[in-house]
Amino acid sequence: MRLSGGVRTVGAIALWSLLSTLAIAAPGSSNTARSKLSTPWTDEANSAPVPLADYPRPQLVRKDWLALNGRWDYMGGASLPNPANGQSSPPSFPRNPESIKVPFPPESFLSGIMRDLEINMWYRRTFEVPRQWNQGRGWNNGPGWGWGPGGHGPGSQRGRVLLHFEAVATNSVVYLNGRQVGQHRGRWESFTFDITDLLRPGDNTLVVGANDPHDGLTSEGKNDIDQGDYTFTSGIWQTVWLEPVPDSHIRELTIRPNLQESKVSVQTNVSGSRGTVKVSVLANGRTIGSGRGGNGTEVTISIPNARSWSPDDPFLYDLQVQILDFRGSVVDEVTSYFGLRSISLGEAGGKLHPLLNGRFVMQLGPLDQGYWPDGIQTSPTDTAIQNDLQNMKDLGFNLIRKHAKVEPQRWYYWADKMGLLVWQDMPSMWYPDNQLPWEWQTIIHQHYNAPSIVTWVPFNENWGAYDVARITAWTKSLDPSRLVNGNSGYNNAPGYRPAPGDPGNGDFDDRHNYPGPGDVPEPSATRAAALGEFGGVGLMIEGHMWPGVNHTAYEMQPSVQALTSRFVELQNDLDPFIQERGLGAAVYTQLSDVEHEVNGVLTYDRKVRKIDFAKARVAVKRAIEAGNRLAKRMEGYEGKEGL
Ligand SMILES: *[C@@H]1O[C@H](CO)[C@@H](O)[C@H](O)[C@H]1NC(C)=O
Ligand SMILES: *[C@@H]1O[C@H](CO)[C@@H](O)[C@H](O)[C@H]1NC(C)=O
Ligand SMILES: *[C@@H]1O[C@H](CO)[C@@H](O)[C@H](O)[C@H]1NC(C)=O
């Protein structure tokens, strides 16, 4: 793993945030109930006054922020007012309300609630805006409010305060000091409100309502209503935070790396008054190029001695983006990063393959569902995320298929840093309607800058798949810089839903076979071939399994030794398909056990490696090397570069 300057910056911010949030956090009483199954991070998460206090938006970093994670007042239940109705004022709370630990969902141990199907959830806490944010701004005239010149950000900007939610499931409504701030619908996306005009000196009271009917009418992923596999989670499930910004500030960056021409284009979306945007590219802390442009225009910067990003060398360039006023003073500044890499389809061995940086790289990695026995859909700590990804690197994998879930930004940040290619699924929705395309478009938009993401997967098997060819083509139109795998495993269509069949378009013909490899597709003139799921071989490790369920796998093995042999055999079985029949990608089920499924390479509690990693790594590396040999045979051939 290569750590560049960006990591240290983020670390420093996290510490600052922790120090400043500790001062205002509600007393951090920890949960005294026992967890059904603990991870190595359960105790740390349970005792932290402010859990998951890591900078939540590593691709657009500002110095100041405040995590609102921690203890909130809570009430939940189907009989409570429905937040989806968007009432103009919040309901009243009982005198001694329950307490929940945000951002863990109420179903989870770490939330301190551990109840299923709350349906209507209400959260309340108070916060103070840190005084130092207010220097020279004059948001308000209250005592201790708006004093002193200088302070955050140069110039005489008054500034705004933004309230960010990284994700709340699924219909939410937000109130500040008794007034409605706004509403949001969707499980997987971040959203933001400008709360400046409702802020007061001293305590501000924030109330968040969330309604999650679990009716299959919103995207629920593996929690799908009729086929619900694992514990359904709802409510606030990612970080809530505050951020001070100048009036004129950078809202979004769209970063387009261009490896072929050794340059990067950065489009900046600015809110507020006009100014010049200055973009600088840094390598190992040194500025190597910069350019200027207006709001919304693309600034293109050449990169001398370009170094490409890949799983073997996940080199990231840093970005600094500033808004300058007419005097040239800095009005706003953010940092970000990018990887210089290209994704395309091209020929290797006479057949169409997925290319990385113009060359075929066999994509091999686990199916990863992102569930935890203590936080369910919320990882207990940031270290827990790193640990999952590092384990996959240790196995020699270069790919992760993020299955039926969208993760917090930090998960993709670590994939970018450590060097893993990511296939991103749209989490399935049981009864499709217009919500799905809207949510999918937003997910693609919000994760557009992640170098790790190489393929979008709108549908899995027949899980709520509909209009597949149309949505596949539409997905490609939203992001032509990546590959689109329209329906991973269209052949695997159990009887509980109609089977849409092969969409015929997109960039992959993708089938699922358990344990496999089985009937592996071959490339056509327009599509590469993928085995989007195989493996699924199980092993029960007593003391490390989710209690109260019948444990299953597609095939069961009796010991670590036997599972290792089977794992090695399955990777070796890929060889003829890679060497002779054009297989370009394969996804092994799966990263960890998940509740009743015991077919992970790690136990559900992440405490035991269920296969011998040294032996498994040899087999994984051999399969990837088979792809490299094919690519070398084609050396000199420049693949059909994508956009
Ligand atoms: C600019 O950013 C805002 C806030 O994120 C967003 O609503 C808007 O659509 C963006 N504009 C463009 C042109 O992308
Ligand atoms: C900057 O561009 C965005 C997107 O076109 C627009 O929403 C915003 O109002 C613009 N800001 C200014 C200051 O012109
Ligand atoms: C486990 O399987 C047995 C036998 O099929 C069944 O009777 C029982 O209800 C199952 N338990 C759970 C928790 O599903």
Side-chain angles (χ1 to χ4, degrees):
M1 174 173 57
R2 185 178 306 277
L3 298 177
S4 83
V7 164
R8 285 196 303 275
T9 311
V10 169
I13 287 165
L15 181 63
W16 185 88
S17 149
L18 196 63
L19 293 174
S20 60
T21 45
L22 281 177
I24 66 154
S29 65
S30 64
N31 184 6
T32 50
R34 281 175 59 84
S35 82
K36 277 159 84 175
L37 185 66
S38 293
T39 67
W41 311 277
T42 305
D43 289 345
E44 181 189 339
N46 199 29
S47 58
V50 185
L52 289 162
D54 306 276
Y55 194 76
R57 199 184 53 197
Q59 286 188 338
L60 193 79
V61 177
R62 279 192 187 85
K63 184 168 68 68
D64 290 338
W65 71 293
L66 181 68
L68 297 182
N69 295 346
R71 289 271 159 213
W72 292 47
D73 295 337
Y74 176 77
M75 56 181 183
S79 62
L80 292 174
N82 182 351
N85 296 339
Q87 47 276 66
S88 58
S89 51
S92 51
F93 280 65
R95 275 180 74 87
N96 293 303
E98 286 183 286
S99 164
I100 190 168
K101 195 172 241 182
V102 170
F104 298 108
E107 297 82 358
S108 69
F109 165 75
L110 287 172
S111 72
I113 300 293
M114 270 202 290
R115 285 195 301 267
D116 287 338
L117 285 180
E118 293 282 80
I119 309 291
N120 298 315
M121 294 151 276
W122 291 97
Y123 301 74
R124 183 179 68 184
R125 71 164 286 161
T126 59
F127 65 85
E128 276 188 55
V129 176
R131 285 178 160 221
Q132 62 270 34
W133 290 3
N134 187 38
Q135 289 182 12
R137 293 190 182 201
W139 278 314
N140 210 318
N141 299 317
W145 190 262
W147 80 107
H152 172 90
S156 58
Q157 295 267 328
R158 291 169 67 83
R160 316 292 302 174
V161 174
L162 306 180
L163 171 62
H164 299 289
F165 294 88
E166 290 303 306
V168 182
T170 189
N171 304 301
S172 50
V173 60
V174 178
Y175 305 87
L176 187 66
N177 297 325
R179 299 263 300 276
Q180 195 192 107
V181 175
Q183 294 176 259
H184 182 261
R185 177 171 154 88
R187 185 176 302 275
W188 312 104
E189 318 78 32
S190 61
F191 53 98
T192 297
F193 300 113
D194 182 334
I195 55 170
T196 317
D197 297 338
L198 294 175
L199 284 172
R200 292 180 188 149
D203 273 351
N204 289 271
T205 302
L206 179 61
V207 173
V208 177
N211 159 263
D212 203 346
H214 195 21
D215 57 6
L217 292 173
T218 63
S219 155
E220 297 179 350
K222 279 306 254 306
N223 285 324
D224 259 322
I225 176 73
D226 293 337
Q227 202 57 27
D229 261 13
Y230 318 128
T231 304
F232 180 76
T233 62
S234 55
I236 297 175
W237 68 283
Q238 290 185 30
T239 292
V240 184
W241 57 294
L242 291 176
E243 178 183 40
V245 294
D247 284 345
S248 182
H249 62 270
I250 295 153
R251 285 199 294 207
E252 294 179 355
L253 302 175
T254 307
I255 305 168
R256 297 189 180 91
N258 184 330
L259 177 63
Q260 268 193 328
E261 297 175 29
S262 295
K263 63 187 189 184
V264 64
S265 298
V266 180
Q267 197 173 356
T268 308
N269 174 340
V270 174
S271 147
S273 61
R274 266 163 243 283
T276 305
V277 173
K278 182 181 174 197
V279 181
S280 306
V281 177
L282 294 87
N284 298 316
R286 218 167 48 82
T287 303
I288 58 164
S290 65
R292 288 170 190 237
N295 172 32
T297 62
E298 230 170 17
V299 175
T300 301
I301 298 162
S302 296
I303 299 171
N305 309 314
R307 181 166 164 190
S308 59
W309 180 97
S310 70
D312 289 336
D313 180 20
F315 180 77
L316 296 174
Y317 289 94
D318 292 310
L319 276 175
Q320 180 195 55
V321 183
Q322 297 172 320
I323 304 178
L324 306 176
D325 68 12
F326 67 95
R327 290 186 301 260
S329 304
V330 177
V331 175
D332 187 27
E333 175 176 326
V334 298
T335 58
S336 184
Y337 66 86
F338 66 95
L340 199 55
R341 59 107 182 91
S342 72
I343 304 300
S344 56
L345 287 183
E347 279 175 45
K351 294 189 164 83
L352 208 59
H353 283 80
L355 307 185
L356 173 68
N357 303 334
R359 196 159 186 269
F360 170 48
V361 173
M362 174 66 198
Q363 300 184 7
L364 183 57
L367 190 79
D368 173 14
Q369 313 207 54
Y371 278 75
W372 305 87
D374 45 11
I376 319 273
Q377 285 216 317
T378 306
S379 71
T381 63
D382 193 59
T383 313
I385 293 175
Q386 294 174 49
N387 178 75
D388 268 5
L389 300 187
Q390 190 58 53
N391 267 298
M392 298 306 104
K393 291 291 287 186
D394 291 350
L395 268 179
F397 284 138
N398 60 10
L399 171 73
I400 287 188
R401 179 175 169 212
K402 179 45 73 178
H403 183 47
K405 184 187 178 193
V406 183
E407 292 284 356
Q409 296 276 354
R410 288 196 70 84
W411 189 94
Y412 302 92
Y413 168 71
W414 286 116
D416 297 341
K417 280 273 171 205
M418 292 185 186
L420 284 154
L421 306 172
V422 174
W423 286 14
Q424 178 61 54
D425 283 17
M426 173 65 205
S428 54
M429 180 163 154
W430 209 241
Y431 303 109
D433 71 6
N434 289 330
Q435 174 74 4
L436 185 128
W438 178 84
E439 223 169 338
W440 187 219
Q441 180 167 12
T442 308
I443 290 162
I444 290 172
H445 182 76
Q446 293 190 348
H447 295 279
Y448 182 85
N449 293 336
S452 55
I453 298 177
V454 296
T455 298
W456 301 114
V457 186
F459 293 111
N460 175 65
E461 300 176 357
N462 59 344
W463 286 59
Y466 74 103
D467 277 1
V468 178
R470 180 178 66 80
I471 288 181
T472 299
W474 175 71
T475 303
K476 190 76 179 183
S477 75
L478 292 176
D479 184 3
S481 76
R482 290 181 170 90
L483 302 181
V484 176
N485 184 349
N487 193 349
S488 183
Y490 63 82
N491 64 313
N492 194 340
Y496 45 71
R497 295 284 296 175
D502 182 0
N505 64 344
D507 295 310
F508 286 100
D509 182 332
D510 176 319
R511 295 178 207 168
H512 296 176
N513 297 316
Y514 284 107
D519 166 34
V520 176
E522 293 195 39
S524 69
T526 57
R527 293 192 297 178
L531 186 57
E533 290 180 24
F534 77 114
V537 184
L539 168 64
M540 302 204 200
I541 308 266
E542 290 302 330
H544 299 275
M545 295 188 291
W546 190 243
V549 292
N550 290 324
H551 298 104
T552 60
Y554 290 95
E555 173 191 305
M556 209 63 88
Q557 291 293 334
S559 66
V560 168
Q561 229 174 4
L563 181 62
T564 304
S565 302
R566 194 71 178 103
F567 178 93
V568 166
E569 183 181 37
L570 282 163
Q571 309 304 319
N572 291 347
D573 285 349
L574 296 178
D575 201 77
F577 294 103
I578 298 168
Q579 301 254 35
E580 290 147 35
R581 299 186 41 197
L583 182 65
V587 176
Y588 181 85
T589 301
Q590 64 182 322
L591 182 143
S592 76
D593 296 349
V594 184
E595 299 199 352
H596 62 92
E597 292 178 3
V598 289
N599 50 15
V601 295
L602 301 171
T603 51
Y604 192 26
D605 62 7
R606 312 306 204 269
K607 285 181 179 167
V608 180
R609 289 179 163 183
K610 295 170 66 184
I611 53 177
D612 177 333
F613 269 38
K615 286 186 180 141
R617 181 185 170 90
V618 171
V620 167
K621 285 288 188 192
R622 190 161 47 217
I624 292 174
E625 197 45 46
N628 288 343
R629 278 202 299 280
L630 195 66
K632 281 203 192 95
R633 288 216 296 272
M634 298 303 295
E635 209 69 313
Y637 176 84
E638 297 291 317
K640 282 189 281 179
E641 271 301 323
L643 289 163

